[in-house]
Amino acid sequence: MPELPEVETIRRDLSARILGTKITKLELLSPQSVLGNKKEFSTQILGSSFREIDRIGKLLIFVLQKGKYLLIHLKMTGQLIYQTKQELIPGGHEGGEVKELPNKMTRVVFSFSDDGKLYFNDQRRFGYLKIVDAKELAKIKEKFGPEPLQAEFNASFLKKLLRGRRGNIKALLLNQLHIAGLGNIYADEALFRAGIRPMRLAGSLSEVETKKLAQEIKGVIKSAISHRGTTFSDYRDATGKRGGFGVKLQVYGRSKEKCYRCGRAITKVKLAGRGTHFCPYCQK
DNA sequence: CCTTGTGTTCTCCG
DNA sequence: CCGGAGAACACAAG
């Protein structure tokens, strides 16, 4: 599940590799992964290059020429893997962790003028690629709240956000309108770190809890980025490697296992329609 | 049936 | 009865 740290890792990896390099070939192996007119999509991409790669929440924004933007959302199983000309040679990469591409999950392939290739893989085809203009992009950006690592995301912002809310805190943390980039893994991890049960009503958090939660959201996201994200199942970085934050997870995916803090069993329930993990002893 | 991210729709409440 | 909030549902595919 690529959330903010995973998408940011890919953004940084790709930014160091493909900016300014001409796209010479585009293969739509699964046309349904491209939203809108496929022919127009190809026309906009071919012969162009990416000037910059931005991100808002979990959405990647590749800046093309002429006020056009390529949006890529990985949803649950999407991957963006780049291979240089050298790595494309069978056996030409060291370590062996880079798999042979394309594979049966490959939906779109970008070829560059330096013979590098970018593969969009997506087992479940929930992810998408879409070209928008500046106006459409501005409208999309309106649908995102501040990101955890932006300065405006602090205790006083969270306090205002939680005031008077009757819904549970977990659902609020997942709502991209309010906070951009948190998904199921980091919402559960941040709540564990803050010692707050996911089903607590958002408006019931004390000032101290709110401050702690704001800090822990920032902390877990920052740490996850520094470990290049979490690979729970499908996530890979732009070089095909797994993220290193999995070993740091305290509750996500640890149902019935012992809490590292108190030794009691981690509980899993369904909340806000999502699998939700917490320690009934450490989280109040 | 499950998994999650997101967009839409429905209902509730003040 | 309006509007916002929040819950519920739909959908993607294996």
Side-chain angles (χ1 to χ4, degrees):
Chain A
M1 286 68 70
E3 303 177 28
L4 192 158
E6 291 75 30
V7 179
E8 176 62 13
T9 300
I10 291 171
R11 190 194 70 77
R12 292 179 187 182
D13 285 354
L14 290 180
S15 294
R17 288 169 172 80
I18 62 173
L19 293 189
T21 310
K22 190 171 165 182
I23 302 155
T24 52
K25 190 176 163 191
L26 182 67
E27 294 160 88
L28 306 185
L29 307 180
S30 168
Q32 71 182 92
S33 295
V34 171
L35 303 186
N37 188 299
K38 323 298 178 231
K39 204 156 190 167
E40 201 184 312
F41 182 86
S42 300
T43 306
Q44 290 291 347
I45 298 275
L46 280 175
S48 188
S49 69
F50 300 125
R51 290 186 173 185
E52 202 178 327
I53 307 172
D54 294 331
R55 176 189 58 71
I56 181 159
K58 305 161 193 170
L59 183 65
L60 282 165
I61 305 165
F62 294 73
V63 182
L64 292 161
Q65 279 83 349
K66 307 163 267 165
K68 294 284 183 182
Y69 305 85
L70 167 65
L71 307 183
I72 301 186
H73 203 302
L74 302 172
K75 291 286 181 90
M76 287 176 71
T77 60
Q79 303 174 335
L80 277 170
I81 299 178
Y82 175 77
Q83 292 188 343
T84 62
K85 187 183 179 183
Q86 292 306 313
E87 289 165 333
L88 287 165
I89 301 165
H93 44 266
E94 293 163 37
E97 61 275 82
V98 180
K99 291 273 183 346
E100 199 75 29
L101 289 168
N103 59 33
K104 62 179 178 178
M105 273 94 95
T106 303
R107 308 305 177 199
V108 179
V109 185
F110 297 81
S111 299
F112 295 90
S113 60
D114 61 2
D115 293 326
K117 284 178 187 257
L118 177 63
Y119 299 92
F120 173 73
N121 301 328
D122 187 16
Q123 188 192 97
R124 298 189 191 176
R125 291 189 236 227
F126 295 177
Y128 63 83
L129 297 81
K130 183 186 186 182
I131 289 183
V132 296
D133 60 25
K135 199 177 163 185
E136 290 169 294
L137 181 63
K139 205 171 171 186
I140 289 164
K141 283 187 172 179
E142 283 174 20
K143 293 178 189 166
F144 291 92
E147 301 217 347
L149 298 186
Q150 286 172 345
E152 68 172 296
F153 185 94
N154 54 28
S156 99
F157 163 80
L158 196 60
K159 190 179 163 185
K160 272 183 206 150
L161 180 61
L162 301 193
R163 187 174 293 151
R165 297 222 177 241
R166 4 181 206 107
N168 62 69
I169 184 66
K170 165 97 184 242
L172 193 78
L173 296 185
L174 291 176
N175 191 334
Q176 305 297 299
L177 286 165
H178 298 308
I179 304 171
L182 286 185
N184 210 29
I185 295 174
Y186 299 111
D188 281 2
E189 292 299 314
L191 286 166
F192 173 81
R193 288 173 172 225
I196 298 165
R197 289 200 188 201
M199 53 290 292
R200 284 277 300 282
L201 296 189
S204 79
L205 270 60
S206 70
E207 183 127 13
V208 171
E209 287 175 322
T210 304
K211 193 177 172 191
K212 175 87 172 148
L213 182 57
Q215 280 171 351
E216 296 298 351
I217 289 170
K218 283 177 181 283
V220 76
I221 292 297
K222 211 169 171 180
S223 179
I225 291 174
S226 73
H227 287 86
R228 304 183 57 77
T230 302
T231 293
F232 199 76
S233 53
D234 298 273
Y235 169 70
R236 296 294 182 276
D237 68 22
T239 65
K241 295 192 183 73
R242 306 167 76 91
F245 196 73
V247 296
K248 301 281 179 183
L249 296 178
Q250 307 274 305
V251 287
Y252 187 86
R254 299 197 64 245
S255 175
K256 294 177 183 170
E257 291 177 39
K258 285 183 177 175
C259 173
Y260 294 132
R261 186 171 170 273
C262 74
R264 294 171 176 83
I266 299 298
T267 300
K268 183 178 180 183
V269 297
K270 195 133 192 159
L271 184 67
R274 299 294 174 248
T276 298
H277 315 71
F278 70 102
C279 172
Y281 182 77
C282 296
Q283 293 172 257
K284 311 290 180 190

